[in-house]
Amino acid sequence: MSNIDKPINNEFASDNLEVVSISATNTMTTSTVKTPLNEVEQFGSDLEKATRVRRETAKILDEIAEILMKAENAGEHTSGKLGFEQDITYLNNVSENLRQGRFRLLVLGDMKRGKSTLLNAIIGEKILPTGVNPCTAVLTIVRYGENKQVTIHFNDAKPPESMDFDTFKKGYTIPPDEAKKLEEEGIPAFPDVEYAVIEYPLDILEKGVELIDSPGLNDTEARNNLALGYINNCHAILFVLSATQPLTQAERRYLENYIHGRELATFFLINNWDLIAQKIEDEDELPLAENTLRQVFQSNLFAYCQVNGRNLYEQRVFELNSLAAFKARTKNPSGSLEGTGFDKFFDVLRPFLTQKRIIAELLNVKGLVRQIYHQVHETVGIRITLLDSGVEELKQKILDVQPEFNQLVEIRDRFKHEIRNQSERYANELADDFCNYLSNLDSTFETDFAPYQPDLKVFDLLKGGKRKEFQENLEQAFNRYSNDKIADWTKKAEQKLKEAFSQIAKSAESYGDAYTQVTDKIYAKLNEQKIETGTVSSEERYPGWTRWAGAAAGIFLGNPAGAALVGFGALDWKSLIGQFLTAVGANIFLLYGGGTFLGPIGIALAGLVAGAVQLRLARNKLVKLTKEKMKESLPNVAKAERIKVYNFVKEIFNNFENEVTQRIDSDISSRKLELEELLAQKAFQEIDKTAEVSRLNTLDSQILTQWNAVEAITDKLLEETF
């Protein structure tokens, strides 16, 4: 989509329809009547407005970067560069991030929940086949593309493969029963496929919506990767449930392990609500049946709808008829969705995505542009003052401020030292905590494993000599248990890391304030007077690296609004957590799998069952034998895994330290370059002061104009309610 060139005043104009009428005097008059929009159209309209605002803001950032670039190029032939290279790069990156911004929705749900029908209802066209689950156990991303196509991305060296929809459906669709069986056995349907991307030229996708359709709620290590990779990097989760199967054990476990306590924006979509009536013989009993079911869902979902002490259950749980909504949308795109539940859902999702998120993003960008303007204003002021200085005088001034530049380096080093201290502290704490946690699992195993114990019928397999089938069932039980225990520790680890980065964000502000005080001293020495900051807050005068550090830490703390300022790379930190937890978990699974752990236990139990010992006693023996084996093996496993946990945590902090250090070094270098450039130009040529002052003042004025433009966009956005 091309950039929008219309003035910002028109960004929020309503769509209008021109109606021709005839008056009593038979004179034709033209009046304008507002066209009512249905829920989906209003959602699409707001998405378009949000995209326009983003792109208009990005265009302004491009213009600021272009103005600064021209100023730097002109400086090479006049008084020298002003040291804006880092700011130009940063502005270009933020601009691109705004343009590429997506409204990313992750769809979670078990098999046979009607996910495909629901997604088709949201999109407004049958993209995903219903009745079967395409690409089972494979992540499927639905996004905008000019041509209809599917691209399969593999997890090996094989290059991505593009194909049409028919080929995709034939090659990567399996019956739901087969999919469920594979899922229960922990076997991927397509082991060499990492994910699939569906591109489709639809309006709602072009406006920035990206849907991520997850595989079922399986119990493999791949689930950990999915949960801690994509869950943390989406803007909202759509958790699909079914009115005909209210919260299975697998769904409860998934919610508890991966959703609860993570402060994620989760919408619970109870699909197939219309099917309740089909199960009731007497229509008069329908209200009671529906209310009873509502109470069941509320008792199970209430805890997941509490945000900062507020009960958002009514804004997070929706009763849907996806099939009716899909039929309504395809039959009459402008028709109402009333009665399907989608009308209420879109009314809540719309402001959540298009208002709250965009406002938060633009407030961050507004702060960035204010900061850049104040930096330009101060830099221009210093340069104009120094134009009167001779070469020798300027050399002396540069020597006079060297102690202050040394102080900036000291501040950088103190901040680096604090990050490293935090890194060492939390790496050791988490590594020790994981080691202790794993080593002591046997102490609570009898109680913890109770919900996962195989059904007594499983032990009949041993009686019949089906040892392989018995061991497979046993491994599934232990894998579920292990997954949940690792997930439980994961949430505690995330809270620890949030604690660390919360402190780092506060420290960044503190060091930023100290840094600004030193740069004020530099400017005062060069200008021979104190810098007047007027009503500008200290936060607005922070160096750019401080704002970046705060935004990066904010992403880690669960605030995606700063993503445009930081860039997509920072989001990899949370994925890194998922990677190390998956790696750790994989080794725990190896402990139970492959016959090294469960094999001997199965053999021992086989002897008991063969001796006609009651099946219940055999199950108790299973728990006892497993506990003994865990007590023997887990401490050694824990010691081996400790270093992995330590190294992964260190890597997270090292990434942050390297990024912020590079930005501080670049800022210091730019400030020095500003002075060195002027000195070099003065030594090389006579500078036309009058022309140069005019050029610099024009630069200041141009950036101020762009700042005001961003202020206008943000203020307008805050005034409007879309």
Side-chain angles (χ1 to χ4, degrees), residues 475-526:
E475 286 183 8
Q476 290 174 28
F478 276 104
N479 282 346
R480 287 194 294 270
Y481 163 79
S482 301
N483 261 313
D484 290 353
K485 298 307 290 184
I486 294 297
D488 178 62
W489 182 83
T490 297
K491 288 195 288 188
K492 297 174 183 176
E494 283 187 358
Q495 291 303 317
K496 278 280 189 182
L497 290 171
K498 284 185 177 182
E499 174 187 304
F501 276 87
S502 177
Q503 181 57 50
I504 287 176
K506 293 177 182 177
S507 296
E509 292 183 1
S510 177
Y511 286 114
D513 187 54
Y515 195 95
T516 301
Q517 292 178 29
V518 175
T519 56
D520 283 352
K521 290 180 182 179
I522 293 175
Y523 290 145
K525 279 188 174 182
L526 295 173

Side-chain angles (χ1 to χ4, degrees), residues 289-475:
E290 289 184 329
N291 287 332
T292 300
L293 193 58
R294 288 189 182 104
Q295 291 174 11
V296 172
F297 278 111
Q298 185 162 4
S299 65
N300 283 282
L301 300 179
F302 182 82
Y304 305 102
C305 301
Q306 309 306 301
V307 180
N308 298 325
R310 296 169 57 211
N311 177 18
L312 298 181
Y313 188 86
E314 296 297 325
Q315 291 81 43
R316 290 292 184 267
V317 181
F318 299 90
E319 303 163 1
L320 303 181
N321 182 345
S322 295
L323 183 58
F326 173 69
K327 289 180 178 179
R329 289 208 61 193
T330 53
K331 182 178 180 180
N332 181 13
S334 299
S336 173
L337 294 176
E338 186 176 357
T340 68
F342 276 79
D343 52 338
K344 298 177 182 178
F345 171 54
F346 277 123
D347 282 345
V348 173
L349 182 65
R350 175 172 53 82
F352 175 83
L353 288 180
T354 62
Q355 293 179 25
K356 294 180 181 179
R357 184 183 173 214
I358 297 299
I359 287 173
E361 277 186 358
L362 291 194
L363 286 175
N364 274 316
V365 173
K366 174 182 175 180
L368 167 66
V369 176
R370 286 170 68 96
Q371 184 182 69
I372 286 179
Y373 169 68
H374 291 306
Q375 180 182 339
V376 170
H377 184 67
E378 291 177 351
T379 302
V380 165
I382 293 298
R383 176 59 60 89
I384 290 175
T385 299
L386 293 179
L387 288 175
D388 289 327
S389 300
V391 172
E392 295 304 318
E393 182 184 1
L394 184 55
K395 286 182 179 179
Q396 186 58 49
K397 286 187 175 183
I398 293 175
L399 287 175
D400 290 343
V401 296
Q402 187 57 45
E404 279 70 30
F405 276 108
N406 293 339
Q407 289 178 34
L408 296 182
V409 173
E410 290 171 5
I411 291 171
R412 178 206 65 190
D413 291 343
R414 291 204 305 272
F415 190 28
K416 284 178 60 176
H417 183 69
E418 179 169 332
I419 295 171
R420 290 181 180 180
N421 283 344
Q422 294 278 50
S423 171
E424 190 67 21
R425 172 192 166 187
Y426 283 94
N428 277 307
E429 281 187 11
L430 285 171
D432 289 341
D433 184 69
F434 182 77
C435 193
N436 293 332
Y437 180 85
L438 202 59
S439 298
N440 293 310
L441 284 179
D442 65 287
S443 62
T444 59
F445 179 72
E446 291 183 49
T447 302
D448 293 347
F449 189 65
Y452 308 91
Q453 285 198 50
D455 189 274
L456 289 177
K457 293 180 180 179
V458 173
F459 288 82
D460 278 330
L461 295 171
L462 282 179
K463 245 182 175 180
K466 299 178 180 179
R467 188 177 299 165
K468 181 180 179 182
E469 290 88 339
F470 171 80
Q471 185 162 325
E472 288 175 351
N473 279 272
L474 206 55
E475 286 183 8

